Amino acid sequence: MMRTRPLKVALLGCGVVGSEVARIMTTHADDLAARIGAPIELAGVAVRRPSKVREGIDPALVTTDATALVKRGDIDVVVEVIGGIEPARSLITTAFEHGASVVSANKALLAQDGAALHAAAERQGRDLYYEAAVAGAIPLIRPLRESLAGDKVNRVLGIVNGTTNFILDKMDSTGAGYQEALDEATALGYAEADPTADVEGFDAAAKAAILAGIAFHTRVRLDDVYREGMTEVTASDFASAKNMGCTIKLLAICERAEDGGSVTARVHPAMIPLSHPLASVRGAYNAVFVESDASGQLMFYGPGAGGAPTASAVLGDLVAVCRNRLNSTTGPGESAYAGLPVSGMGEVVTRYHISLDVADKPGVLAQVATVFAEHGVSIDTVRQQGKDGEASLVVVTHRASDAALGGTVEALRKLDTVRGVASIMRVEGE
C-alpha cells in the first residue's frame, strides 16, 4: 500500500545536473512514487542566483540560504549537486545532523573526505549514496559495492573522463595535434573553458580514489592516487602506438598487488592493445573494466557526463534512499575493513614504451641494452631508424617496476650517445 504523505527532497544546486534532477522528479513523478512506495516532493532548491528563470521550478521553492534549507528538520533527502569542497561538505554534515539522508555527485569531496562523511552518516543512522560521482549514468558503484560484494576484485581499469577520451580519440582517428583536438572539444562543449581538471587528470584521479576504496575495501584518498596528465601526448606517440597495434587512452587504474598485501591507484596516459575492449571506446564515452576472482572480466560502458545521464544516476540513488527511509533502514555504508596499505607509483609493475634520440653510429644499441640489463629491466623489442648521423631508438620492455624504469632512464640520459628521451609511455591492458 502506497503512503500518501510525500517524502521531502531538498536540492542543492540547479545547474546542468540539478535542473535535470528537478525535471525528472516532476515529469516522472507517478512512476517514481510507484517505485518508491510514496510520492516525493521537491521542498526547496538552493541556488546562488535566485533571479534566474528555472523552467518547471516554482520560484517560491528557490532560496539562497542552503544552510537554512538543510536545517529545516522535515527534509528526508538532500540532493547535493553543487560540487567543490565547501560549502558542500558543511551542508552535507549539517543535513545528517538534522535527520536527512544525502545523495551526492561530488567526486572531489568524496575522494578527499569520504571517510569523514561516511562516519557522519553512520552516527546519525542516515544514508550517503553517490553513484553519480563516477562515470555519470553508468551503474558502477552499486555493482562494486553490492553485486560484487561476495567476490574479490583484483583490478579496475577504466576511461572515466569523457573530455580526455574525446581529445585522444580525435588525435588517433584524424592525426590532429593535442591543441587542435582540444579546440574542437571546447567548441563542441565537451571541454570547459579551463580544461585543467580534465586534461591534467585531476577529475579522473578523484574517481580512481573512490573506485579503489570501494573495490578493495580500503580507504584511498585523492592524495594516494598517482596522477599524470595527457597534455604531452603527441601525434608521434600515436604513430608509435599504431606500430604496436595499440591506441592511447587516459586510464584510471586501481590494482591489488599480486601478493594481495597492498593496492595502488593511478591515472596516466597509456598505450592499450586494439584487441582490448577499452580501445574501442570512442568520443566522450566512458567505460570501466573490472577483473575479479569469481566473475572474471566485466565491462561497464556508457555516457560518463552530461545533465540527463548524471541526473539518471542521481535519481537511481534517490529512489534507493527513499525506499530505505520508508523501511526505517539504511543501505551499505563505508567498507574499509581490509585496511590495505596504498603503495606508491615506484612499486607499480607494467610494460613501457621508450623512444630515444641517439647518435647513429655502431655500438649505440649495445650501450643502451647494457643500461637496461644493469637495472634489471628486460627488453621485449627494439626498433631503430637512422639518418644523417641521428637516429631514433624505440624500446618496448617486458614488465618492470616504475622505480627500476626510472633508474634506467636516468642512466640513459648520462650516455654520450643518447641525445634525449623523446617519450616514455606505459603499456597497459595485456
Side-chain angles (χ1 to χ4, degrees), residues 206-411:
K207 295 170 182 176
I210 295 169
L211 291 175
I214 296 170
F216 306 132
H217 304 278
T218 292
R219 287 178 179 169
V220 180
R221 289 171 50 88
L222 181 58
D223 291 345
D224 296 321
V225 181
Y226 172 84
R227 178 194 54 79
E228 184 181 318
M230 44 149 292
T231 58
E232 300 301 318
V233 176
T234 65
S236 63
D237 290 326
F238 274 101
S240 294
K242 287 180 179 179
N243 285 333
M244 290 178 59
C246 294
T247 188
I248 298 172
K249 300 290 186 182
L250 184 75
L251 298 177
I253 305 170
C254 312
E255 290 181 309
R256 189 188 299 269
E258 290 184 6
D259 63 5
S262 64
V263 299
T264 58
R266 51 198 165 102
V267 169
H268 54 71
M271 295 182 180
I272 189 167
L274 294 176
S275 58
H276 194 283
L278 289 178
S280 62
V281 178
R282 309 299 298 271
Y285 274 72
N286 285 191
V288 176
F289 201 73
V290 178
E291 300 174 10
S292 63
D293 277 359
S295 59
Q297 298 178 333
L298 305 169
M299 191 166 96
F300 301 83
Y301 169 84
T310 305
S312 171
V314 170
L315 266 295
D317 278 350
L318 180 60
V319 168
V321 169
C322 286
R323 287 171 176 168
N324 291 343
R325 295 282 288 194
L326 287 181
N327 294 320
S328 300
T329 187
T330 56
E334 182 189 32
S335 176
Y337 73 89
L340 296 171
V342 183
S343 298
M345 191 63 187
E347 297 180 45
V348 169
V349 175
T350 189
R351 298 178 67 204
Y352 289 87
H353 176 283
I354 305 103
S355 180
L356 304 172
D357 294 327
V358 299
D360 186 14
K361 63 182 183 180
V364 173
L365 180 56
Q367 285 184 322
V368 169
T370 297
V371 170
F372 275 88
E374 288 174 347
H375 288 81
V377 179
S378 176
I379 293 175
D380 181 18
T381 62
V382 177
R383 187 176 71 255
Q384 183 174 6
Q385 293 178 321
K387 184 179 180 181
D388 299 329
E390 298 294 329
S392 173
L393 193 64
V394 176
V395 178
V396 180
T397 73
H398 288 290
R399 286 170 60 82
S401 72
D402 190 81
L405 196 282
T408 303
V409 172
E410 185 177 347

Side-chain angles (χ1 to χ4, degrees), residues 61-112:
L61 297 178
V62 176
T63 178
T64 58
D65 194 343
T67 301
L69 178 60
V70 300
K71 281 184 173 181
R72 274 178 37 174
D74 64 336
I75 300 297
D76 294 288
V77 184
V78 169
V79 174
E80 183 272 310
V81 288
I82 57 177
I85 305 303
E86 286 293 354
R89 176 171 49 198
S90 297
L91 291 170
I92 289 173
T93 55
T94 301
F96 290 140
E97 291 166 359
H98 287 78
S101 290
V102 173
V103 173
S104 176
N106 196 329
K107 54 187 171 287
L109 177 58
L110 289 158
Q112 178 172 306

Side-chain angles (χ1 to χ4, degrees), residues 44-62:
V45 182
V47 299
R48 291 196 184 101
R49 297 184 297 275
S51 59
K52 180 180 178 180
V53 176
R54 294 171 173 85
E55 186 177 349
I57 295 177
D58 183 352
L61 297 178
V62 176

